[in-house]
Amino acid sequence: MIVPKPAHYEARPGCFVLDRRTALSADPALGDVAAWLRSELGPVTGGELLPGGPGQETITLGLADLPPEAYRLTVAPGGITLEAGSAAGAFYGAQTLRQLMPPAAFRRAAASEPLELPAAYVEDNPRFAWRGAILDVARHFMTKADVLRFIDLMAMHKLNVLHFHLTDDQGWRIEIKRYPRLTEIGSWREESQVGWDGAMDGRPHGGFYTQDDIREIVAYAARRHISVVPEIDLPGHTQSAIAAYPELGNLGVQIGVRTTWGVGVNVLNVEDATIEFFKNIFDEVLELFPSPYICVGGDECPKDQWRASPSAQRRIAELGLRDEDELQSWYIRQFDDYLTERGRRLVGWDEILEGGLASGAVVAAWRAELGAVAAARAGHDVLNCTNTSVYLDYRQSRREDEPTPFRTVLSLDDVYAFDPVPAELRGDPAAKHVLGAQCGIWTELIDSTRHVDYMAFPRLAAFAETVWSAPERDLTDFRSRLDAHLARLSAIGVEYRRESGPLPWQTRPGVPGKPADPLEWQAILDSWTANIRNP
Ligand code: TNX
């Protein structure tokens, strides 16, 4: 019934009936969790869930000597007891408690049926400390309200890190006071590519979060025990910044915010002033995001412009570097030093391994499982973001009526089969470097929250189980629990993908998809293998 599957679940006789007279009392240290439960359940029960008197049926929240994210939940006919190692554990226990209720408990209105919870005893503790989702709001902007809704959905699945991809070639989404043109110019593009045959939609797209919006998102997430790791991608994926401040680029000419997808050639130049500029950006970013981890991207930086640039070549000579790859590595190190001095840890995509890296850096490994294996063996902490297992922008089936398909098929069952510890590392002491995993919602082809729902659910539920639950997999058991879970998602209003019947999905009929060509895909994987194995 519960997703992700708890470590231990035991059904017991009888049930607890939640109604408007139910009381709630909590250890003062768990006040926020109690407030969250009251705000979620109040509209459903019609009651206030205040601390009760003797004899009143009560939900009791308390602390116990358990690991911080662990909890113990006892549901009995006469009362509910939730004990946890910390507020985080209590929050996860409260999520489980909610899942013991009927789907009507996920609506924001009084339930018309009695809210019966089957008596049970649950013990739970996550397998990994880092349970993330990457949300790309750069390719397509997502409103603040939709981001908050997504955070709630993450919390429901016991995920605890939002990797917030805030900047890319196609849009700059975070207000930086010192450089207002980043959002004035960089947050809008003239139009967007819609499929893979060169068609454009002919209408502007944009949006950004003010610093107050960001503070709100961070605080909202924190109350749900989710930390927000911002990503300011560099030195590639920066065309929107270069459009706003052409002096950051290599060409010295005015270019626009990018309107097409794929890896862009317009990358930052290597001037001191440019590095200073981005450090100034990070000064503001660090003020907004208390996370100890800050992502500087580092992925997909084509070196063409550096090869052609006299000043980049001068820099290579001055620093005695071998080539442009070492220049990229030097670039990342500037930000590694900057972040380390400020007590933060750099996170970067696995390309940052090429050319050497400071040991405190965390590698977000995305290129098949190769990146994760290489990073862990090199002694770096790893976030496993294996694209072939957990990139939820990839198509879900070969059906003709799927939305514009992208890359290879990644079905619900494929995601469920993922293990954050790559097969090659099992039994290897380097496996301890795997902090956890992150699923990816990249939005080149996902232009609305409805579409995010369709791509993320229910695959995100399968992903959540891979990071929270024990490594053993039982697909039949997962799928039977998922049936109950889909009823909850429906009650919330999540437009998840259904496996049968017509796919309710066609925002843009007639956009041809690019068929996933297995040979082309294999060629990409082969080139990564060559790069990662022999850097
Ligand atoms: C690769 S993941 C990218 C993203 C794309 C994604 C599409 C990574 C470091 N780079 O820029 O959006 O593939 O699946």
Side-chain angles (χ1 to χ4, degrees), residues 136 139 168 237 299-300 349 351 366 391 393-394 406-407 442 444:
D136 169 11
R139 271 53 175 273
D168 214 304
H237 290 273
D299 56 318
E300 301 176 323
W349 298 107
E351 285 93 334
W366 70 281
Y391 269 20
D393 54 329
Y394 288 11
F406 189 57
R407 294 237 157 129
W442 299 99
E444 286 96 332

Side-chain angles (χ1 to χ4, degrees), residues 240-402:
S240 60
I242 299 168
Y245 294 94
E247 63 270 29
L248 300 173
N250 291 282
L251 304 177
V253 296
Q254 181 66 56
I255 52 172
V257 177
R258 191 154 181 238
T259 57
T260 55
W261 316 124
V263 179
V265 293
N266 291 303
V267 304
L268 297 181
N269 64 35
V270 299
E271 305 300 327
D272 289 332
T274 297
I275 289 171
E276 208 45 46
F277 188 106
F278 272 80
K279 287 183 179 170
N280 292 335
I281 290 175
F282 278 111
D283 283 346
E284 295 190 28
V285 168
L286 298 194
E287 281 292 313
L288 295 166
F289 295 92
S291 160
Y293 300 90
I294 303 287
C295 184
V296 303
D299 56 318
E300 301 176 323
C301 178
K303 309 296 184 307
D304 313 58
Q305 293 187 345
W306 289 353
R307 271 191 281 274
S309 148
S311 82
Q313 292 304 315
R314 222 177 305 121
R315 183 68 100 178
I316 290 179
E318 265 165 36
L319 295 167
L321 303 175
R322 200 172 45 189
D323 56 15
E324 293 75 16
D325 287 333
E326 283 199 350
L327 187 57
Q328 144 120 2
S329 162
W330 171 84
Y331 218 110
I332 296 297
R333 248 177 287 130
Q334 305 309 299
F335 292 93
D336 195 7
D337 293 345
Y338 166 91
L339 290 171
T340 306
E341 278 163 23
R342 286 157 185 78
R344 312 286 184 113
R345 281 179 77 183
L346 176 141
V347 178
W349 298 107
D350 56 39
E351 285 93 334
I352 67 172
L353 286 169
E354 295 159 17
L357 189 61
S359 63
V362 177
V363 176
W366 70 281
R367 290 178 295 174
E369 284 201 328
L370 301 155
V373 173
R377 292 230 164 107
H380 294 291
D381 283 347
V382 177
L383 310 173
N384 190 337
C385 314
T386 297
N387 64 329
T388 44
S389 297
V390 295
Y391 269 20
L392 306 184
D393 54 329
Y394 288 11
R395 52 157 68 186
Q396 312 199 49
S397 77
R398 294 203 170 275
R399 285 178 61 157
E400 291 286 318
D401 49 358
E402 289 286 359

Side-chain angles (χ1 to χ4, degrees), residues 478-499:
F478 170 67
R479 282 187 162 266
S480 72
R481 281 180 291 111
L482 188 66
D483 284 341
H485 196 64
L486 294 179
R488 294 170 198 136
L489 294 176
S490 288
I492 294 171
V494 175
E495 291 187 285
Y496 63 84
R497 180 181 185 279
R498 282 158 213 274
E499 291 197 320

Side-chain angles (χ1 to χ4, degrees), residues 60-235:
T60 309
L61 312 186
L63 288 169
D65 187 17
L66 289 169
E69 294 194 300
Y71 67 88
R72 253 186 326 239
L73 174 65
T74 312
V75 177
I80 293 176
T81 311
L82 171 58
E83 294 173 300
S86 75
F91 184 72
Y92 300 131
Q95 293 289 353
T96 295
L97 176 61
R98 244 188 134 195
Q99 292 198 8
L100 291 171
M101 298 173 195
F106 288 83
R107 296 185 182 274
R108 294 182 179 277
S112 54
E113 61 210 89
L115 292 164
E116 285 182 5
L117 287 74
Y121 175 69
V122 184
E123 270 178 16
D124 209 359
N125 193 26
R127 180 176 171 207
F128 291 100
W130 191 300
R131 305 179 298 277
I134 303 155
L135 188 61
D136 169 11
V137 293
R139 271 53 175 273
H140 280 100
F141 179 65
M142 195 189 242
T143 63
K144 182 190 74 183
D146 285 334
V147 173
L148 301 183
R149 173 182 179 272
F150 187 78
I151 287 171
D152 276 321
L153 291 168
M154 286 178 66
M156 177 185 181
H157 294 86
K158 302 186 173 89
L159 300 187
N160 67 350
V161 181
L162 172 61
H163 176 148
F164 210 17
H165 185 76
L166 284 163
T167 64
D168 214 304
D169 293 327
Q170 297 86 0
W172 186 280
R173 308 279 175 233
I174 173 173
E175 176 189 27
I176 301 296
K177 303 259 193 218
R178 183 162 180 165
Y179 303 118
R181 287 165 60 88
L182 286 171
T183 44
E184 278 164 22
I185 307 284
S187 76
W188 282 88
R189 60 175 180 261
E190 277 175 7
E191 56 179 353
S192 309
Q193 177 181 342
V194 286
W196 299 106
D197 65 347
M200 305 297 290
D201 67 359
R203 59 178 184 193
H205 177 87
F208 70 93
Y209 311 105
T210 64
Q211 294 203 347
D212 281 340
D213 291 337
I214 295 281
R215 284 191 196 93
E216 183 180 346
I217 289 168
V218 168
Y220 191 90
R223 275 207 100 184
R224 286 150 185 81
H225 297 276
I226 292 173
S227 74
V228 185
V229 175
E231 178 179 0
I232 305 292
D233 206 339
L234 60 82

